């Protein structure tokens, strides 16, 4: 995969031009094996998106094109990725907050996490805290991610914290949050007692990795005591 | 925050007062509000802001703030006929002279929480009477429907078109056919009573009238 092709795909993301992105991704799929795509396109592209000035604030269409590209590449190479081997992945649970019915941001985050090698259980819109925590405990997720589009529904995320506390899972399951209200109000993450948020969907993998590793570290500390 | 200056005089709180009210509404609810006014179920005047401000939340926030400031300066309470439509809506409603409808958005306001959530889980794309006539403009501003990924965005998150038939205007069948055809969906007509909407308005008015008021008494 040439550097030029990465440039074109990056441009397509900035322009939110799915057909232009498809054109170069199609060519890449024909020309390259999975490892080549991973090493020479996917990782460099994600690095560039994650650090680029133009992608610091992605709009809906740009985020959507990014997630489409990732989904497209991953579906083409599904066998090579060996997606059935869930044990190889760290698995997290995503959902929209209770009463929140805006799925797009969450879907983009799910795609991008999968693109970074995470296993993702996506529970969809309007999820009550007990359902979220039931799923997280069942699959052994150390991080749950909750998305909200409005202040009202973002405020409902506090119930997730209460559920984590009441189940004695504090420190064992971390709470990541995302959505416009958190971007605009820096106090809101603390108000709902979340463990962290990301500037946009592209920064979600780093946030989830940090939170996941924190639970591992804290577990180690507890064992030493 | 609102530039709502408290008096330097002593303030005494009182309950159950009668106050003048002006409604500030999203124009998406214009037909339904006019219908309720015609039936005598809304007894206060209502001003409208363009529903397209939702596409640019920062402009919606600014317009609402400015309009509320103007009204509050005249000592009149404000009923905001809006949902939680931008991320700082709650800042505006900290002021006890402002009461917003207890709804997430216009779909929730018209349908009620349970019915709204059921439709969302079914992948419904809600079409409101006010913007059915200009669906193409709205969809272009919402997801750039003419762009290369606008349709993909709609299809990834919705399966069908549901027209909320509030009875305020005749069902615009031709426009709905065109909209459905463009999106590649079928559309269904869903009759919607205005009872829930009316009860939310009544609740907001009651909150305004029972909030601690301010009776100014000259300091000794």
């Amino acid at each position: 995969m040439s550097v030029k092709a990465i440039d074109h795909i990056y441009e397509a993301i900035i322009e939110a031009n799915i057909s232009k992105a498809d054109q170069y991704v199609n060519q890449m799929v024909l020309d390259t094996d999975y490892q080549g795509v991973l090493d020479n396109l996917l990782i460099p592209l994600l690095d560039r998106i994650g650090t680029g000035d133009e992608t610091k604030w992605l709009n809906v269409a740009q985020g959507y094109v990014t997630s489409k590209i990732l989904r497209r590449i991953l579906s083409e190479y599904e066998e090579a990725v060996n997606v059935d081997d869930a044990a190889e992945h760290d698995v997290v649970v995503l959902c929209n907050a209770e009463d929140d019915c805006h799925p797009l941001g969450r879907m983009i985050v799910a795609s991008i996490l999968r693109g970074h090698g995470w296993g993702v259980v996506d529970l969809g819109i309007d999820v009550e805290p007990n359902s979220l925590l039931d799923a997280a405990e069942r699959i052994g997720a150390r991080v749950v991610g909750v998305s909200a589009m409005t202040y009202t529904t973002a405020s409902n995320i506090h119930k997730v914290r209460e559920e984590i506390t009441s189940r004695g899972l504090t420190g064992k399951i971390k709470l990541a949050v995302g959505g416009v209200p958190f971007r605009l109000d820096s106090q809101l993450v603390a108000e709902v007692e979340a463990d962290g948020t990301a500037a946009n969907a592209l920064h979600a993998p780093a946030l989830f990795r940090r939170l996941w590793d924190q639970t591992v570290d804290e577990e180690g500390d507890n064992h030493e005591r | 925050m609102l530039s709502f200056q408290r008096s330097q005089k002593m303030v005494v709180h009182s309950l159950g007062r009668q106050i003048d009210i002006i409604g500030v509404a999203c124009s998406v609810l214009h037909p339904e509000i006019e219908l309720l006014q015609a039936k005598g179920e809304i007894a206060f005047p209502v001003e409208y802001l363009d529903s397209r401000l939702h596409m640019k939340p920062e402009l919606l926030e600014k317009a609402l703030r400015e309009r509320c400031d103007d009204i509050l300066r005249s000592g009149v309470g404000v009923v905001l006929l809006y949902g939680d439509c931008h991320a700082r809506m709650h800042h505006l409603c900290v002021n006890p002279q402002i009461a917003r409808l207890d709804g997430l958005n216009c779909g929730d306001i018209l349908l009620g929480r349970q019915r709204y959530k059921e439709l969302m889980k079914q992948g419904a794309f809600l079409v409101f009477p006010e913007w059915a006539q200009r669906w193409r403009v709205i969809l272009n501003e919402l997801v750039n429907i003419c762009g290369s990924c606008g349709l993909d965005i709609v299809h990834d998150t919705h399966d069908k078109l549901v027209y909320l038939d509030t009875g305020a205007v005749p069902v615009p069948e031709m426009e709905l056919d065109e909209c459905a055809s463009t999106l590649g969906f079928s559309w269904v007509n869903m009759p919607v009573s205005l009872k829930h909407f009316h009860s939310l308005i009544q609740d907001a008015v009651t909150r305004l009238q029972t909030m601690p008021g301010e009776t100014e008494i000259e300091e000794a």
Side-chain angles (χ1 to χ4, degrees):
Chain A
M1 174 55 40
S2 69
V3 173
K4 198 174 176 188
I6 296 178
D7 289 343
H8 286 306
I9 294 172
Y10 184 76
E11 278 171 14
I13 289 170
I14 302 304
E15 296 164 7
N17 186 335
I18 194 77
S19 51
K20 180 174 176 179
D22 267 348
Q23 178 190 336
Y24 288 97
V25 171
N26 287 343
Q27 191 57 45
M28 173 200 72
V29 166
L30 288 174
D31 291 349
T32 319
D33 65 8
Y34 175 68
Q35 197 56 45
V37 170
L38 199 65
D39 294 341
N40 301 322
L41 179 83
L42 205 53
I43 292 170
L45 184 65
L46 287 170
D47 281 347
R48 187 165 171 185
I49 292 167
T51 56
D53 284 340
E54 303 99 323
T55 50
K56 193 172 181 184
W57 299 105
L58 285 185
N59 63 32
V60 167
Q62 290 167 332
Y64 181 80
V65 171
T66 305
S67 72
K68 274 290 229 194
I69 292 170
L70 293 174
R71 274 186 277 175
R72 175 76 205 285
I73 295 170
L74 289 172
S75 67
E76 288 291 338
Y77 293 102
E78 206 161 84
E79 282 184 26
V81 177
N82 195 11
V83 290
D84 290 337
D85 191 2
E88 293 296 313
H89 299 279
D90 290 335
V91 184
V92 296
V93 186
L94 296 187
C95 69
N96 280 88
E98 184 177 355
D99 290 342
D100 198 284
C101 298
H102 296 88
L104 192 57
R106 187 202 77 242
M107 290 165 67
I108 292 169
V109 169
S111 279
I112 290 170
L113 285 173
R114 288 185 179 116
H116 277 75
W118 290 87
V120 176
V121 173
D122 188 347
L123 299 181
I125 60 173
D126 179 31
V127 175
E128 293 183 357
N130 61 338
S131 303
L132 172 60
L133 270 298
D134 283 352
E137 286 199 276
R138 191 169 62 247
I139 63 169
R142 291 173 180 266
V143 184
V144 295
V146 187
S147 168
M149 177 79 169
T150 69
Y151 177 81
T152 305
T153 54
S155 301
N156 285 341
I157 296 175
H158 193 262
K159 296 179 192 172
V160 177
R161 169 55 63 202
E162 290 168 0
E163 188 72 17
I164 290 173
T165 304
S166 73
R167 294 186 185 212
L169 295 170
T170 305
K172 294 174 183 167
I173 293 182
K174 295 285 182 178
L175 173 58
V177 293
V180 173
F182 296 102
R183 253 175 35 192
L184 296 182
D185 185 347
S186 58
Q187 306 298 311
L188 194 52
V189 177
E191 279 178 31
V192 301
E193 295 188 77
D195 294 304
T197 190
N200 63 43
L202 294 167
H203 294 89
L207 170 68
F208 277 66
R209 176 51 56 203
R210 178 170 60 81
L211 295 179
W212 186 284
D213 290 346
Q214 277 177 12
T215 68
V216 174
D217 291 346
E218 288 170 21
E219 193 174 73
D221 290 346
N222 289 337
H223 285 160
E224 283 172 18
R225 287 186 202 124
Chain B
M1 297 296 293
L2 271 178
S3 56
F4 185 71
Q5 300 297 316
R6 282 188 174 274
S7 168
Q8 294 303 307
K9 298 168 186 174
M10 186 184 290
V11 172
V12 175
H13 295 288
S14 62
L15 293 174
R17 69 225 156 93
Q18 292 295 313
I19 61 165
D20 290 331
I21 291 171
I22 291 178
V24 176
C26 176
S27 67
V28 78
L29 297 168
H30 197 158
E32 289 72 30
I33 291 168
E34 284 201 332
L35 187 60
L36 290 174
Q37 284 177 321
K39 290 179 177 175
E41 293 178 341
I42 295 178
F44 50 85
V46 177
E47 301 176 358
Y48 297 92
L49 297 178
D50 193 327
S51 61
R52 287 163 65 193
L53 285 167
H54 280 78
M55 313 302 173
K56 298 199 182 298
E58 67 281 7
L59 295 184
L60 172 63
E61 181 184 0
K62 182 170 182 285
L64 275 174
R65 193 176 294 273
E66 288 175 355
R67 195 63 212 109
C68 287
D69 278 352
D70 285 347
I71 294 171
L72 292 173
R73 274 190 216 102
S74 60
V76 175
V78 178
V79 169
L80 278 182
L81 293 103
Y82 272 87
D84 195 5
C85 296
H86 67 71
R88 296 191 184 91
M89 206 80 176
H90 57 295
H91 290 195
L92 198 59
C93 301
V94 165
N95 190 310
Q97 304 298 112
I98 300 175
R100 183 176 67 78
L101 302 193
D102 183 14
L104 299 172
N105 52 42
C106 41
D108 183 35
I109 284 169
L110 288 178
L111 292 161
R113 185 68 44 91
Q114 210 50 43
R115 201 170 173 203
Y116 165 72
K117 292 201 301 189
E118 283 167 13
L119 282 171
M120 291 298 101
K121 286 178 180 174
Q122 292 166 18
F125 189 96
L126 303 181
V127 181
F128 298 85
E130 188 265 346
W131 70 261
Q133 301 282 348
R134 51 195 179 108
W135 64 269
R136 198 179 293 276
V137 175
I138 300 281
L139 282 179
N140 258 333
E141 290 181 357
L142 188 64
V143 292
N144 187 18
I145 202 70
C146 298
S148 69
C149 65
L151 274 178
D152 285 344
I153 292 176
V154 174
H155 287 162
D156 263 11
T157 49
H158 300 90
D159 296 317
K160 61 182 176 183
L161 219 58
V162 175
Y163 176 71
L164 303 185
D165 182 7
T166 59
V169 298
V171 178
E173 294 188 5
M174 194 174 75
E175 287 80 4
L176 289 166
D177 283 342
E178 286 174 359
C179 182
S181 168
T182 301
L183 294 179
F185 294 148
S186 57
W187 67 274
V188 293
N189 187 54
M190 174 169 283
V192 178
S193 154
L194 294 183
K195 278 184 187 167
H196 181 68
F197 182 32
H198 183 227
S199 73
L200 292 181
I201 296 169
Q202 283 183 311
D203 287 348
V205 170
T206 303
R207 269 184 277 136
L208 266 190
Q209 289 176 334
T210 55
M211 279 283 181
E214 296 177 347
T215 304
E216 293 176 347
I217 298 175
E218 291 288 341
E219 275 189 42

